Amino acid sequence: MRRYLRVLTPLLIMVMAVMLSGCSGQYLVLDPKGPIGESQRDLIYISAILCAVILVPVLIMTAVIVWRYRENNKKVAYKPKWEHSTKLETLVWGVPTVIIIILAAFTIKYTYDLEPSKAIASEHEPVTIEVTSLDWKWLFTYPDEGIATVNYLKFPEGVPIRFHLTSDQAMNSFWIPQLGGQIYTMSGMAMTLYLQADEAGEYYGSGANFTGEDFSKMTFKADAVSNEDYNAWVQQVKSSSPELTMDGYHKLAEKGTSDEQSFSSFPKGLFQQIVMQYMNGSDMPMHHGNSESAGSDKDMGDMDMDGMDKDMDMGSSEHANH
């Protein structure tokens, strides 16, 4: 038996090393490029170190005790009537209690600091982007610029991005790992999430909630560029891309994957309609493309966004996964 163990142990270690090598270059969460991601990384490190203060000594002591007090080791004193040590009890209960208190203090602080709808302090006004998850694609609408994209994001570096998020089909989760944690998108609800990229670059984005057959294709690129490049891109989309009509949206909302797309305009109040169609027992008129949708579009376009923002903030605090 021992001979087999000698052979299997190094073999097992080699297999584990090969399998773990597949994770190289995938530590996006630990390589943040914005203030939210950096705070979340710090909390991960702090939590891991505090847990290691308990876990590492316990694992080492377990191995030492098993080896030292093995059956055939006759050099250790045998004390079957030993039952209590005040010093040991104080150590065993005291250290974990202190660690838990410290961990709780850090968690409370970071939880309040990282509330998703909390605006990022900046001298720049935030750029607003509305996010709608569909089966199986992402629709991004820029209400201030009047443009829309599918499976592609672009925004200026060093400027806070205020995301408003919802879903027009199955619940999903919006995630750009290097900028911050995921947040759920849900039908009939609107969330708010602030993120910022401090460096220009191309960031990986995806849906982090399983939603069926083509869930794995719900990925997107998030490009952080200079203000000049961002403004030039907006003008280029406005001048060279087709419009997104309501009929076009219904087609886009059908189940299926999509390549990157851009649109020079989109129906006014589209995001609000997507959110509100599931309220008050609505029969989701938008998905049937009937004439009522055009009328409701105008009504929703005139909706008071201040009220919507309040609902977004309430929803985000309950369902965010920062």
Side-chain angles (χ1 to χ4, degrees):
M1 184 66 182
R2 288 184 177 179
R3 186 179 62 182
Y4 291 121
L5 286 175
R6 290 194 188 99
V7 175
L8 288 175
T9 300
L11 184 62
L12 182 61
I13 293 173
M14 291 175 60
V15 171
M16 290 176 63
V18 171
M19 294 181 69
L20 290 173
S21 66
C23 300
S24 62
Q26 301 296 319
Y27 307 115
L28 298 180
V29 173
L30 301 181
D31 184 25
K33 301 299 182 184
I36 302 299
E38 288 175 355
S39 293
Q40 292 174 342
R41 178 205 54 192
D42 293 344
L43 181 57
I44 291 172
Y45 282 154
I46 292 170
S47 301
I49 291 171
L50 290 173
C51 291
V53 171
I54 299 175
L55 185 61
V56 172
V58 167
L59 292 176
I60 293 174
M61 289 173 63
T62 300
V64 170
I65 290 171
V66 168
W67 176 256
R68 180 175 174 82
Y69 295 98
R70 65 190 186 279
E71 183 180 5
N72 59 356
N73 186 7
K74 306 301 181 186
K75 298 178 181 178
V76 180
Y78 179 56
K79 299 178 181 180
K81 294 184 179 180
W82 181 91
E83 61 180 14
H84 180 74
S85 169
T86 301
K87 291 181 180 177
L88 187 58
E89 290 287 341
T90 303
L91 183 67
V92 168
W93 290 101
V95 173
T97 301
V98 171
I99 294 297
I100 289 172
I101 292 172
I102 296 173
L103 186 59
F106 276 108
T107 302
I108 291 171
K109 178 185 183 301
Y110 276 89
T111 297
Y112 279 95
D113 289 347
L114 294 172
E115 209 290 320
S117 62
K118 185 177 179 180
I120 297 174
S122 173
E123 61 183 11
H124 303 287
E125 285 294 315
V127 172
T128 300
I129 300 177
E130 298 163 338
V131 181
T132 303
S133 63
L134 303 166
D135 283 343
W136 292 275
K137 59 193 81 74
W138 293 95
L139 171 64
F140 303 107
T141 51
Y142 294 67
D144 296 330
E145 288 78 4
I147 63 173
T149 60
V150 175
N151 290 342
Y152 181 70
L153 266 177
K154 183 170 279 195
F155 44 77
E157 62 169 313
V159 176
I161 311 299
R162 178 173 52 213
F163 291 102
H164 294 321
L165 307 101
T166 191
S167 174
D168 197 5
Q169 279 146 6
M171 171 180 167
N172 213 302
S173 187
F174 175 82
W175 192 24
I176 305 176
Q178 287 185 281
L179 301 187
Q182 59 176 308
I183 186 169
Y184 289 117
T185 60
M186 290 177 279
S187 302
M189 298 189 71
M191 316 302 180
T192 299
L193 171 69
Y194 280 86
L195 296 176
Q196 178 176 308
D198 287 338
E199 298 179 17
E202 180 182 307
Y203 301 106
Y204 171 80
S206 74
N209 193 67
F210 181 74
T211 55
E213 181 181 357
D214 286 318
F215 153 75
S216 62
K217 298 178 182 176
M218 284 193 69
T219 59
F220 60 89
K221 284 196 305 183
D223 280 345
V225 297
S226 65
N227 264 312
E228 293 74 18
D229 288 345
Y230 174 71
N231 292 330
W233 172 73
V234 171
Q235 293 307 315
Q236 189 234 330
V237 171
K238 280 180 173 292
S239 62
S240 62
S241 300
E243 297 180 356
L244 176 63
T245 63
M246 190 58 73
D247 286 340
Y249 174 73
H250 294 316
K251 186 71 176 174
L252 187 67
E254 293 176 358
K255 287 193 173 185
T257 60
S258 173
D259 295 328
E260 293 179 6
Q261 299 183 58
S262 59
F263 301 96
S264 59
S265 65
F266 59 90
K268 183 180 179 183
L270 177 61
F271 182 80
Q272 291 87 342
Q273 278 201 65
I274 294 170
V275 175
M276 297 301 292
Q277 66 178 320
Y278 295 101
M279 303 290 189
N280 302 320
S282 168
D283 294 329
M284 297 185 291
M286 289 182 59
H287 283 188
H288 300 287
N290 58 25
S291 57
E292 292 179 4
S293 63
S296 59
D297 182 29
K298 180 181 184 305
D299 296 339
M300 295 301 297
D302 296 334
M303 172 181 276
D304 180 6
M305 281 302 295
D306 291 338
M308 177 65 78
D309 283 340
K310 291 176 183 176
D311 293 340
M312 291 169 176
D313 294 343
M314 292 175 63
S316 62
S317 63
E318 295 174 359
H319 299 280
N321 231 4
H322 252 179

